[in-house]
Amino acid sequence: MKKILLLTYLFQNSYKKNSSTFFWDYAISLKRSGYDVAVLSVIPISIKEIFKKRKLDIGFRYYLGEEGVKVYTCQIISLPFLKRLNYFLKIFFGKKIFSFILNSGWVPDLIHVHSFLTGNLPVWIKNKFDINYITTEHNSGFYYNHFSKYEIKLAFNLYSNSTSNYAVSNSFVNHLNNKFTCLKNKFQYFPNVIDVNFFNYEKQNKHKFDFINVGRLDNNKNHLILIQSFLKSFPNPSSKNLIIIGDGPNKKILHDFICNNNLNERVFLKGELSRKKIAEYLSVSKFFILTSVHETFGVSVVEAMSCGLPVISTFCGGPESIIINNTDFKNGILCENKKNKISAAMLCVFKTKFNRKKIRDYVVDKFSYTEYVKLIKQNIDKTRKYYCFFSCLLFSQWNYFH
């Protein structure tokens, strides 16, 4: 049985139970396909989060997750303004955990690294133990030039030593290849996967909610323009409603706007909910709407489509690789990130005929685990070919000198 290690920059933890749940989809898809799977994640916890939860829960833990996936995590304190030290700590504790895994007798055949934010740990593993890795980059910080020169150098080193590099949308592929022009292994498009069995489609005769959005309440997700556009499209006393699932720094701003515009009975802030609850709300909603400034992919978009929901999205990077609107097939509408354009799209979806079953089938075909499992097999085969080639080369050199 082939062994795959997922090396992630975030994972669910005692401070955020629902953090980066899509990494579970990667792990479970491999597990269900007969692979032995483990997850390694050194998780930075901000001091703000520690004070918010009023608890200090730092350190290593190991447990068996869903369907027997091995999970190794270490929660560390993220020190403000000390990025290099934080990366050092990530790598230091990452090395300790990986050594612990090896000492247990478990040696991965391939490592799938999710983002350069894991630090130089994969490069260290490759150089010391001759275990190859592939990389998928998710981080939208590249759009904002958010990273320091040190971090860009760290990223380049990781990508340069990777067997293959992937990004989760065509837009992001182009952005990264333009940024890292000297890479030998250029970025290729491969989308995130989701658990289509968890986010299932059930035909509904009546929907409880007209629009639903799932995402962190921050400036990038741009919820204020969403609510403003909703109000423009459906002014009081319309019966149309909107539900927003998520938490974040803009919660008070949104709450105040809702109250000041008498939208309490039509716009609902539900806070952070479990994945199960999100799936339940999606199943009783008509349309999903995303108004982000930047998205490298759009996991929530695909999860909504998996439940049969047509999607409205702003042009923000990731959704452009997901949403189709032509004569043969429609699964949503793309629009500019302007109030009048979003408002027009919200009115338009009620006049557009969508086949919800076909939207669901599209997700099963494009974003279920089948293609991801093929990708992993291809990369294992690729590393095996490299190994055979260099073995033959060394053997021929040995014969020549002897």
Side-chain angles (χ1 to χ4, degrees), residues 171-205:
S171 168
F172 200 32
V173 165
N174 294 334
H175 186 84
L176 290 172
N177 282 334
N178 288 333
K179 193 170 191 70
F180 298 98
T181 54
C182 297
L183 278 180
K184 182 181 178 183
N185 291 327
K186 297 293 184 183
F187 279 90
Q188 307 166 64
Y189 169 59
F190 194 85
N192 280 322
V193 296
I194 70 157
D195 187 345
V196 295
N197 295 320
F198 190 88
F199 293 95
N200 207 349
Y201 168 68
E202 294 178 11
K203 188 174 181 179
Q204 297 284 342
N205 294 321

Side-chain angles (χ1 to χ4, degrees), residues 60 102 269 319 358 398:
F60 170 76
L102 290 186
L269 300 179
K358 283 188 176 180
W398 187 87

Side-chain angles (χ1 to χ4, degrees), residues 3-164:
K3 299 178 178 67
I4 308 296
L5 176 67
L6 301 184
L7 188 55
T8 69
Y9 64 101
L10 286 174
F11 205 66
Q12 66 181 74
N13 56 78
S14 62
Y15 290 88
K16 293 184 178 179
K17 300 289 185 184
N18 298 318
S19 177
S20 306
T21 51
F22 63 91
F23 288 136
W24 269 121
D25 294 337
Y26 280 94
I28 289 170
S29 64
L30 292 171
K31 189 70 178 176
R32 288 175 181 170
S33 301
Y35 289 91
D36 191 1
V37 185
V39 176
L40 191 166
S41 187
V42 180
I43 307 164
I45 307 296
S46 70
I47 292 175
K48 182 179 178 181
E49 198 66 38
I50 291 168
F51 276 103
K52 183 180 176 182
K53 296 290 184 181
R54 295 182 180 179
K55 67 175 182 179
L56 181 63
D57 188 11
I58 302 301
F60 170 76
R61 64 204 64 200
Y62 162 72
Y63 60 94
L64 283 177
E66 293 177 40
E67 304 196 27
V69 173
K70 303 175 185 69
V71 180
Y72 303 86
T73 65
C74 183
Q75 295 179 186
I76 63 171
I77 297 174
S78 178
L79 301 168
F81 313 114
L82 296 171
K83 279 190 175 181
R84 291 200 183 200
L85 179 56
N86 288 330
Y87 279 110
F88 170 81
L89 292 172
K90 274 187 185 181
I91 296 167
F92 177 81
F93 287 109
K95 287 178 179 180
K96 294 287 184 184
I97 297 173
F98 189 76
S99 298
F100 177 83
I101 293 171
L102 290 186
N103 289 336
S104 72
W106 198 90
V107 182
D109 295 285
L110 182 71
I111 299 172
H112 189 178
V113 180
H114 289 274
S115 183
F116 87 94
L117 294 175
T118 54
N120 262 334
L121 179 61
V123 180
W124 175 79
I125 293 172
K126 180 178 181 177
N127 292 338
K128 189 170 180 65
F129 302 103
D130 197 28
I131 299 171
N132 286 304
Y133 65 88
I134 62 173
T135 303
T136 295
E137 190 53 72
H138 303 263
N139 202 287
S140 61
F142 286 106
Y143 283 121
Y144 296 101
N145 293 318
H146 179 72
F147 302 116
S148 65
K149 288 182 179 179
Y150 169 77
E151 288 173 300
I152 295 299
K153 187 177 178 182
L154 201 67
F156 181 76
N157 188 39
L158 178 78
Y159 305 149
S160 297
N161 285 279
S162 182
T163 301
S164 302

Side-chain angles (χ1 to χ4, degrees), residues 133-312:
Y133 65 88
I134 62 173
T135 303
T136 295
E137 190 53 72
H138 303 263
N139 202 287
S140 61
F142 286 106
Y143 283 121
Y144 296 101
N145 293 318
H146 179 72
F147 302 116
S148 65
K149 288 182 179 179
Y150 169 77
E151 288 173 300
I152 295 299
K153 187 177 178 182
L154 201 67
F156 181 76
N157 188 39
L158 178 78
Y159 305 149
S160 297
N161 285 279
S162 182
T163 301
S164 302
N165 293 307
Y166 301 97
V168 292
S169 68
N170 287 312
S171 168
F172 200 32
V173 165
N174 294 334
H175 186 84
L176 290 172
N177 282 334
N178 288 333
K179 193 170 191 70
F180 298 98
T181 54
C182 297
L183 278 180
K184 182 181 178 183
N185 291 327
K186 297 293 184 183
F187 279 90
Q188 307 166 64
Y189 169 59
F190 194 85
N192 280 322
V193 296
I194 70 157
D195 187 345
V196 295
N197 295 320
F198 190 88
F199 293 95
N200 207 349
Y201 168 68
E202 294 178 11
K203 188 174 181 179
Q204 297 284 342
N205 294 321
K206 189 175 181 181
H207 297 90
K208 186 176 179 181
F209 300 103
D210 295 296
F211 296 97
I212 183 170
N213 170 281
V214 181
R216 189 168 186 267
L217 308 184
D218 59 21
N219 291 337
N220 181 58
K221 299 298 183 183
N222 213 9
H223 288 96
L224 185 58
I225 199 173
L226 166 58
I227 302 172
Q228 290 170 339
S229 303
F230 173 80
L231 181 59
K232 180 178 173 63
S233 298
F234 312 105
N236 291 324
S238 171
S239 61
K240 295 290 187 285
N241 57 27
L242 164 67
I243 178 173
I244 297 172
I245 298 173
D247 201 355
N250 289 354
K251 185 175 182 178
K252 187 179 185 306
I253 295 170
L254 301 178
H255 180 267
D256 289 346
F257 183 86
I258 291 166
C259 292
N260 293 338
N261 289 275
N262 298 316
L263 290 170
N264 307 68
E265 300 299 317
R266 299 202 293 129
V267 178
F268 308 99
L269 300 179
K270 288 293 182 178
E272 188 174 344
L273 298 178
S274 69
R275 215 176 184 202
K276 183 180 178 182
K277 271 290 182 187
I278 291 171
E280 289 174 4
Y281 275 113
L282 287 171
S283 70
V284 294
S285 300
K286 283 183 185 175
F287 306 106
F288 186 90
I289 183 162
L290 182 80
T291 51
S292 294
V293 178
H294 285 300
E295 291 285 347
T296 55
F297 180 63
V299 171
S300 59
V301 168
V302 179
E303 289 173 346
M305 286 184 178
S306 187
C307 297
L309 274 69
V311 172
I312 298 170

